[in-house]
Amino acid sequence: MRIKGLTTVECDACACAKIKRQIRRLSRRLPDRPGIRLAIDFHDFEATSLGYSSVMLVTDRYSGLIWDFYLTNRRSETIITALKWLFRILQQQYQTKPEAIETDNELPMSNRIQTFISVDNGIRLEPSAPNTQSQNGGAERSGGVIKEKARAMRLGSKLPAFLWVEIVRSAVYLYNRTPKYIYNWMSPYERFFTFLSYRDGLVVKDRKPSQQHLKAYGCKAFAMTSNAQLKSNRKQRLNPKAFIGYLVGYNSTNIYRI
């Protein structure tokens, strides 16, 4: 037989003992154009020899495109400098301006940052409730994917952990060029720049990123020495013309980081 009693919400002891977090599963409405709604998330790592100790990932909520900034600290002036660079890029290169920024409580809510975002730039700041990272789900999920990708790339290539800046930068580079089911198998790069092309009246069908230059991450690479490039010490003809290195990133389609 089934015993009927008080429901959980009617029993204070049951409610206090069995309470669980209620997560709103309804997806947030996506913006209708890129660059107007951004989500910010931070991830900490061990400090490198250059002083980098964390990465700030900024996700465009329309296309999923990610910009990565490597920080030596999380002080207000450091974060404001990175945001100034991003806002300048969006305005000068893509003629767009953010209207809202989603963030969790990892972003220091100092008066300087709030004044810079809300007053100086007129951007609506939308912080999540305390200890409720799920409200910043877009950036949290993107950051989780980046960390998983970077971890797999590091283990597969057997690169040392102190190269995390190069590995995370490459993971973001590949993430932006990977097709997504949610975007009808368009990559974030393609979705972002295709919209801008149509907006500016360019006669293009799509803006697919080039994939021909991609290699297995961490593969052996032969880099020409500076003496061979400059043709110096030409009488030392038996010296090696290259050294053995390993691929750790991309600067463009024909510039590799070794």
Side-chain angles (χ1 to χ4, degrees), residues 91-254:
Q91 182 178 3
Q92 297 294 331
Q93 296 189 14
Y94 309 132
Q95 292 75 53
T96 185
K97 182 180 179 181
E99 297 178 359
I101 291 181
E102 305 170 9
T103 180
D104 54 19
N105 292 279
E106 290 182 330
L107 181 66
M109 290 293 104
S110 66
N111 292 331
R112 290 188 59 188
I113 293 181
Q114 292 187 25
T115 300
F116 171 75
I117 295 177
S118 302
V119 179
D120 298 345
N121 291 276
I123 301 173
R124 185 172 65 257
L125 189 61
E126 298 181 356
S128 59
N131 304 319
T132 313
Q133 293 85 357
S134 60
Q135 291 182 345
N136 193 28
E140 292 287 341
R141 183 56 194 149
S142 298
V145 172
I146 293 298
K147 287 189 293 186
E148 289 178 357
K149 185 183 291 290
R151 187 181 302 113
M153 292 167 58
R154 187 246 163 169
L155 294 176
S157 60
K158 297 180 176 59
L159 291 175
F162 67 81
L163 289 176
W164 68 262
V165 173
E166 297 289 351
I167 300 172
V168 173
R169 182 185 287 118
S170 300
V172 172
Y173 184 89
L174 296 175
Y175 176 89
N176 288 334
R177 287 157 177 78
T178 302
K180 301 291 187 297
Y181 170 78
I182 189 176
Y183 302 136
N184 196 21
W185 297 114
M186 295 176 65
S187 65
Y189 179 100
E190 181 182 0
R191 182 173 169 85
F192 184 89
F193 288 101
T194 297
F195 182 94
L196 297 182
S197 299
Y198 278 102
R199 183 201 64 183
D200 298 336
L202 301 179
V203 184
V204 293
K205 184 177 180 181
D206 52 39
R207 288 286 184 178
K208 291 184 178 181
S210 175
Q211 309 280 16
Q212 298 177 353
H213 64 292
L214 299 180
K215 309 293 182 182
Y217 190 73
C219 66
K220 185 183 294 185
F222 296 92
M224 184 176 291
T225 63
S226 58
N227 288 336
Q229 291 177 347
L230 301 176
K231 296 183 178 180
S232 58
N233 298 328
R234 301 183 66 178
K235 292 185 179 180
Q236 300 177 1
R237 300 184 181 275
L238 300 184
N239 287 346
K241 298 179 64 176
F243 61 84
I244 299 176
Y246 299 91
L247 175 69
V248 296
Y250 306 89
N251 274 4
S252 69
T253 57
N254 63 344

Side-chain angles (χ1 to χ4, degrees), residues 38-58:
L38 307 176
I40 297 179
D41 194 25
F42 292 88
H43 302 276
D44 295 327
F45 293 85
E46 292 184 356
T48 66
S49 59
L50 298 178
Y52 296 117
S53 58
S54 63
V55 56
M56 181 177 73
L57 300 179
V58 183

